[in-house]
Amino acid sequence: VDLLKHLAALGLSFGSAAADPRQHAMADLFQVRAAPLDLARAAGRQSGSLVLLGERWRLAWRRGDELYYRALLKLTQLREARRRPHEDLSGREVQKAAGFVEHGFALLLRQREALQAAVEHCAALDARLERLANLSA
């Protein structure tokens, strides 16, 4: 019960409105767009610093992708376990805990999309910087 109060104090919500609409259909969660793994190609050029940054990005995103699908598996397991909760838990505690997890997963989806947008913005910025450099040369 203290954990549930602490999660609420951290800003998580157990209400169904806090979940992302894509969470209603598991197939939608498997179709969430992934960021481009080749940052240099996304920028349209192969500069040394961008290639190095791109390699670090690719490794970090691959690890993040693994964790995303692991969290998706755990979400599936939670949904199944919620049907047969442990007898020490009340129905309200199970509902709240599951709601907090659903909200946490919605936050994960939003952060994943923010990172994808950041890659696109970095690529666009890099392309503009290259054009500026070409103008001054």
Side-chain angles (χ1 to χ4, degrees):
V1 176
D2 289 338
L3 173 62
L4 299 179
K5 288 179 183 176
H6 185 68
L7 291 173
L10 290 173
L12 287 176
S13 172
F14 59 86
S16 61
D20 188 291
R22 293 172 290 185
Q23 288 174 249
H24 298 296
M26 198 55 75
D28 291 344
L29 296 176
F30 279 101
Q31 294 176 12
V32 171
R33 198 182 72 143
L37 291 178
D38 190 344
L39 184 60
R41 186 171 41 199
R45 65 186 184 95
Q46 298 285 331
S47 71
S49 62
L50 195 57
V51 170
L52 181 62
L53 178 63
E55 180 61 22
R56 291 174 62 193
W57 163 258
R58 186 183 63 75
L59 293 172
W61 187 264
R62 184 162 289 155
R63 177 69 177 138
D65 236 9
E66 292 169 3
L67 293 172
Y68 171 79
Y69 288 110
R70 186 180 300 168
L72 188 53
L73 171 66
K74 295 296 182 186
L75 182 63
T76 304
Q77 291 171 338
L78 170 76
R79 288 175 177 175
E80 185 62 32
R82 194 163 84 182
R83 296 179 190 163
R84 297 176 314 280
H86 193 275
E87 62 268 4
D88 288 347
L89 299 172
S90 71
R92 182 72 175 148
E93 289 171 330
V94 171
Q95 177 189 5
K96 285 177 106 174
F100 285 134
V101 171
E102 295 281 356
H103 185 202
F105 197 85
L107 294 174
L108 182 144
L109 286 171
R110 284 188 216 131
Q111 296 220 337
R112 185 175 168 92
E113 289 169 342
L115 286 171
Q116 292 165 345
V119 167
E120 293 167 6
H121 293 309
C122 285
L125 179 61
D126 188 66
R128 288 183 176 87
L129 287 173
E130 184 178 9
R131 280 189 238 140
L132 282 174
N134 290 338
L135 286 174
S136 66

